[in-house]
Amino acid sequence: WKGLHPQESTMQECYSKFGVDTNTMEFVGHAIALYTDDEYLAQPMGPTLARIQLYTQSVQRYGSSPYLYPLYGLGELPQGFARLSAIYGGTYMLAKPVDEIVYDDSGKVIGVTSEGETAKAKVVVGDPSYFKEKVKSTGKVVRAICLMDHPLPSTNNSLSAQIIIPGKQVGRKNDIYIGCVSHAHNVASDGKFICILSTAVEGDPAKADSELAAGYQ
């Protein structure tokens, strides 16, 4: 490690040790390690190195991109889980209302009640809206979905792409993410593209859409 320790030395110290310039730091930290802001620079470098390793291993495994996107859209993920769950004896009940999350005297979840019946469980996984008394909002995300008849500019007419705009380059703390998919993923008609922009809200939530301005450009 040449005098650095993965759990004690910060990522900023690592960059400085090897003379990494600002542009390379932004690329590594935001496009490869996928941090949304620069707070990671003051944190131990070990987790960042693990993220970089995961990214490079994924590129080596899957080709020109480290990402996988399911054909027919993200809705295929729960469908795939449902099929795999059925193989192992899982049971699905659709359109079933959740009346109550049941806890024991110590506050540990033990089941779910629906229409007078309680299903016992050691673990309950659910949307935060089911556990309002146990969660709190720590931030908001603004998202825009754009339907286009052309690929993203400067992407060599790619049928899919991800662009990350480092927040520092556009006067923000948090990055702006731009993802694009197309008919190649069976989510749009031939010649059409779906572009999704998102970022963390930093100002007035009522004006959150304006925080995507750099992405629209």
Side-chain angles (χ1 to χ4, degrees):
W1 296 101
K2 296 187 177 182
L4 298 173
H5 191 285
Q7 302 306 325
E8 298 177 1
S9 303
T10 67
M11 197 60 202
Q12 182 64 66
E13 291 173 337
C14 180
Y15 285 142
S16 299
K17 177 77 173 181
F18 293 97
V20 179
D21 62 56
T22 301
N23 288 333
T24 304
M25 286 170 51
E26 285 194 341
F27 179 79
V28 171
H30 296 263
I32 295 180
L34 298 178
Y35 286 107
T36 61
D37 56 39
D38 287 333
E39 291 184 359
Y40 80 98
L41 292 172
Q43 298 171 358
M45 67 182 197
T48 299
L49 298 181
R51 287 181 175 221
I52 295 171
Q53 184 180 46
L54 175 62
Y55 186 98
T56 54
Q57 289 175 342
S58 298
V59 171
Q60 294 169 357
R61 180 179 294 270
Y62 300 118
S64 59
S65 171
Y67 306 112
L68 293 176
Y69 190 89
L71 293 178
Y72 300 102
L74 297 179
E76 289 299 299
L77 292 179
Q79 288 196 53
F81 176 82
R83 289 189 286 269
L84 184 61
S85 175
I87 292 176
Y88 290 93
T91 300
Y92 270 74
M93 292 184 287
L94 304 179
K96 192 77 169 173
V98 175
D99 298 329
E100 180 186 6
I101 305 296
V102 184
Y103 302 92
D104 62 16
D105 294 336
S106 66
K108 181 180 179 181
V109 66
I110 57 173
V112 178
T113 298
S114 175
E115 298 179 326
E117 296 179 317
T118 298
K120 297 293 184 67
K122 295 181 179 179
V123 177
V124 174
V125 179
D127 184 86
S129 61
Y130 291 106
F131 314 97
K132 294 181 179 180
E133 72 283 0
K134 293 184 176 294
V135 298
K136 65 178 181 178
S137 176
T138 58
K140 296 182 181 296
V141 173
V142 57
R143 183 177 292 109
I145 300 176
C146 305
L147 305 180
M148 308 186 303
D149 59 3
H150 57 83
L152 291 175
S154 304
T155 60
N156 196 28
N157 295 322
S158 178
L159 296 177
S160 64
Q162 174 171 271
I163 298 174
I164 300 174
I165 304 176
K168 186 179 295 185
Q169 294 186 10
V170 291
R172 294 176 48 78
K173 176 184 177 181
N174 294 279
D175 297 352
I176 297 175
Y177 282 79
I178 304 173
C180 185
V181 290
S182 65
H183 65 89
H185 309 87
N186 297 334
V187 295
S189 301
D190 191 14
K192 302 299 181 182
F193 297 79
I194 300 175
C195 184
I196 303 97
L197 297 82
S198 62
T199 189
V201 176
E202 298 178 2
D204 183 358
K207 302 178 181 178
D209 187 58
S210 63
E211 301 196 31
L212 295 173
Y216 292 134
Q217 296 173 7

